Amino acid sequence: MDVARLTIDQIREDLARRRYSAVELVEEALRFAEAENPRTNAYLHLCPERALAAAARVDERLERGEDPGPLAGVPVAVKDVILTKGVRTTCGSRLLAQYIPPYDATAVARLEAAGAAILGKTNCDEFAMGSSNENSAFGPVRNPVDPERVPGGSSGGSAAAVAQGTAVAALGSDTGGSIRQPASFCGVVGVTPTYGRVSRYGLTAFASSLDHIGPLARNVRDAARLLQAIAGRDPMDATSAFAPVPDYLAAMDGNVRGIRIGLPREYYRDLASETGTLVERGVRLLERLGCRLEEISLPTTDYAIACYYIICTAEASSNLARYDGVRYTWRAPQAETLAEMYRETRGQGFGAECKRRIMLGTYVLSAGYYDAYYLKAQKVRRLIARDFEEAFRRVDAIVTPVSPFPAFKLGEKIDDPLEMYLSDIFTITGDLAGIPCMSVPCGRTAQGLPVGMQILARHFDEPCMFRIAEAFERAGGFGGN
Ligand code: GLN
């Protein structure tokens, strides 16, 4: 078998025909991941015992003639901000380098209940803060397409694992684009579901009102299958939605005739030419498939970066307060007083980006500045959401670029945080509005770098989003036709 080429549909068929066992498949994926990792640093650690135990359970069920589950035997990688019971979960941080969680995230438990095998934990920016994966305490991830370039962030390890073929699919997390942007940079599919669609229980909090768990995969069907398994109400997360989970695969009938697609003019100005050309070509393919295109305006787009970086830093400064040296493993050894212990633990434990956000967030929340920054940003967030509500009265979906440019070189933007923040311009609006959005590959630049196209839909209308994405893929759009 060739793990790098398998899809979930293929694995289902192969297991049913006994072409290989789930244990053989997972052994092969583990071997492959081990061999490839020195090139990309996509995995922080593998968990072979757990993966093989899951695979053995699948084989036993098959042996007994029972249904092994919709994701039976599928090798899945999980971003290391998502808790795995008994398996180290570092969040890309020195502070949690030895942290072993006592419970599983709901999304992880649901994947395993569906038959998936968790191969290991993927590298990411520290506490999911970043757009290039260079903020990990355990070294950057390299893009499998071009090792001189970043894979995007913060779910760069998950995107790289899927792109290099060691995992058939992966879980990432997205607060401001961290699933879609790396998916776009690495040439895979990445889905950020509606806020509340997937439980955040066991996802380490960065900015709770923006955090999402979502799948990365090689094709749209596989991504939909993962979402199907992890979506739905969870009593452990009060923000998880009660809305029933529709059948995503049934929605993908290839028919997009008459679907109205909005093209926000604010997203198409100032685009790097090659990215613009590829996305526009993708849009024209959708038109040929029968979609009706309409230019729309999302006038508050210009305020999105400022709004996002106020809200996310405010929430981060509060969420990261728990890493105090008393709880969660690591503590600075030299401290003598309590205050010194806090100071040293946090001072040595956090990387530069986390510290920058803690300081910014504390500032925007402090008495005297709260109204001017945090409260104002919340109002702007409401306006951004309203822009989308207005647009979705006229159109069924919105199509935009994912990132203004393709994967950049390692080191190119790391010393200029503002420049790095600007790369999130097209992805953070979807998170601020809480709507579902995804990245699908739409071709490559002359240098061979993948470019992604973003599809956004109404709250809980993942079926419409998947229908468009899958029709696009079926028509050859991934290759840029
Ligand atoms: N790049 C954005 C940030 O650094 C998004 C991160 C994310 O989605 N987790 O905040």
Side-chain angles (χ1 to χ4, degrees):
M1 86 213 53
D2 181 359
V3 182
R5 292 186 179 281
L6 287 175
T7 62
I8 298 178
D9 283 335
Q10 187 68 49
I11 292 172
R12 287 166 68 84
E13 193 189 315
D14 291 349
L15 288 180
R17 294 183 183 217
R18 304 287 198 274
R19 289 201 181 108
Y20 45 78
S21 69
V23 166
E24 282 166 344
L25 170 59
V26 169
E27 273 172 350
E28 178 58 25
L30 287 165
R31 228 185 341 258
F32 188 25
E34 187 104 37
E36 279 293 294
N37 215 42
R39 282 201 323 122
T40 57
N41 200 23
Y43 293 88
L44 290 174
H45 38 273
L46 297 171
C47 45
E49 279 168 31
R50 185 166 174 162
L52 289 168
R57 283 196 299 274
V58 166
D59 286 337
E60 278 161 29
R61 285 208 191 141
L62 284 166
E63 209 55 52
R64 288 200 298 264
E66 293 167 16
D67 178 4
L71 300 178
V74 177
V76 174
V78 174
K79 183 178 181 180
D80 211 22
V81 290
I82 300 173
L83 302 193
T84 39
K85 184 177 178 182
V87 175
R88 200 147 44 93
T89 300
T90 68
C91 298
S93 179
R94 197 175 161 203
L95 275 170
L96 296 179
Q98 302 304 332
Y99 178 61
I100 312 264
Y103 63 93
D104 274 327
T106 299
V108 167
R110 288 185 179 177
L111 282 184
E112 278 189 344
I118 311 293
L119 287 182
K121 307 298 294 291
T122 54
N123 203 344
C124 55
D125 286 302
E126 187 174 11
F127 292 105
M129 297 174 191
S131 310
S132 67
N133 222 301
E134 292 164 294
N135 296 333
S136 166
F138 308 106
V141 174
R142 292 174 179 275
N143 192 322
V145 178
D146 175 355
E148 296 298 305
R149 293 178 186 267
V150 304
S154 61
S155 312
S158 289
V162 175
Q164 76 190 0
T166 55
V168 171
L171 288 185
S173 73
D174 194 311
T175 304
S178 279
I179 290 175
R180 288 157 287 153
Q181 187 250 24
S184 158
F185 280 15
C186 293
V188 302
V189 174
V191 177
T192 310
T194 307
Y195 184 79
R197 181 73 294 180
V198 173
S199 168
R200 285 182 296 114
Y201 182 65
L203 167 64
T204 308
F206 159 13
S208 314
S209 78
L210 294 157
D211 293 342
H212 306 68
I213 290 179
L216 295 101
R218 290 186 199 133
N219 65 31
V220 179
R221 280 178 70 83
D222 285 3
R225 279 190 188 278
L226 252 75
L227 183 61
Q228 194 82 51
I230 61 177
R233 172 71 188 169
D234 172 17
M236 302 304 281
D237 172 7
T239 63
S240 78
F242 285 95
V245 181
D247 183 340
Y248 297 128
L249 292 189
M252 296 188 260
D253 58 7
N255 182 10
V256 291
R257 208 148 270 293
I259 291 185
R260 295 164 304 170
I261 290 186
L263 306 172
R265 76 176 72 93
E266 293 79 3
Y267 286 61
Y268 287 89
R269 21 164 238 232
D270 318 325
L271 260 191
S273 55
E274 272 191 297
T275 299
T277 309
L278 287 166
V279 175
E280 274 156 24
R281 205 156 75 181
V283 168
R284 275 203 300 279
L285 174 58
L286 290 175
E287 189 177 31
R288 286 206 298 285
L289 294 173
C291 294
R292 297 213 314 262
L293 307 181
E294 193 172 323
E295 186 176 283
I296 58 167
S297 173
L298 298 167
T300 50
T301 304
D302 286 345
Y303 308 108
I305 298 244
C307 172
Y308 170 81
Y309 276 97
I310 289 172
I311 292 175
C312 87
T313 55
E315 292 187 22
S317 71
S318 164
N319 277 326
L320 297 185
R322 70 188 61 155
Y323 305 105
D324 55 5
V326 179
R327 295 164 286 185
Y328 311 106
T329 70
W330 195 75
R331 171 184 301 171
Q334 316 83 342
E336 286 185 359
T337 65
L338 182 65
E340 211 175 291
M341 193 252 314
Y342 290 153
R343 211 167 39 236
E344 290 303 313
T345 298
R346 290 168 67 80
Q348 296 171 37
F350 284 123
E353 186 60 30
C354 288
K355 287 181 190 162
R356 179 155 40 236
R357 299 205 187 193
I358 291 168
M359 286 193 285
L360 271 170
T362 308
Y363 178 81
V364 300
L365 287 176
S366 57
Y369 293 110
Y370 181 93
D371 288 353
Y373 293 106
Y374 184 68
L375 196 63
K376 185 61 87 33
Q378 290 290 20
K379 290 177 180 171
V380 173
R381 178 178 189 175
R382 184 72 205 104
L383 294 178
I384 290 170
R386 199 178 293 166
D387 267 4
F388 279 104
E389 281 161 24
E390 286 292 322
F392 282 128
R393 280 196 200 141
R394 288 169 50 193
V395 297
D396 305 303
I398 294 174
V399 171
T400 78
V402 174
S403 160
F405 33 71
F408 44 88
K409 292 242 166 83
L410 276 126
E412 192 179 316
K413 295 187 196 293
I414 196 69
D415 296 324
D416 188 348
L418 261 187
E419 174 73 16
M420 192 74 97
Y421 295 172
L422 287 175
S423 65
D424 301 330
I425 177 68
F426 301 141
T427 46
I428 54 185
T429 49
D431 296 276
L432 287 165
I435 56 177
C437 25
M438 69 187 287
S439 171
V440 291
C442 68
R444 294 191 176 219
T445 66
Q447 272 183 298
L449 302 175
V451 169
M453 180 176 91
Q454 179 173 231
I455 307 171
L456 307 99
R458 298 183 184 101
H459 287 116
F460 297 104
D461 203 1
E462 281 87 358
C464 176
M465 181 177 83
F466 282 138
R467 171 175 299 172
I468 297 169
E470 198 265 347
F472 181 75
E473 177 184 25
R474 232 191 254 202
F478 279 20
N481 290 316

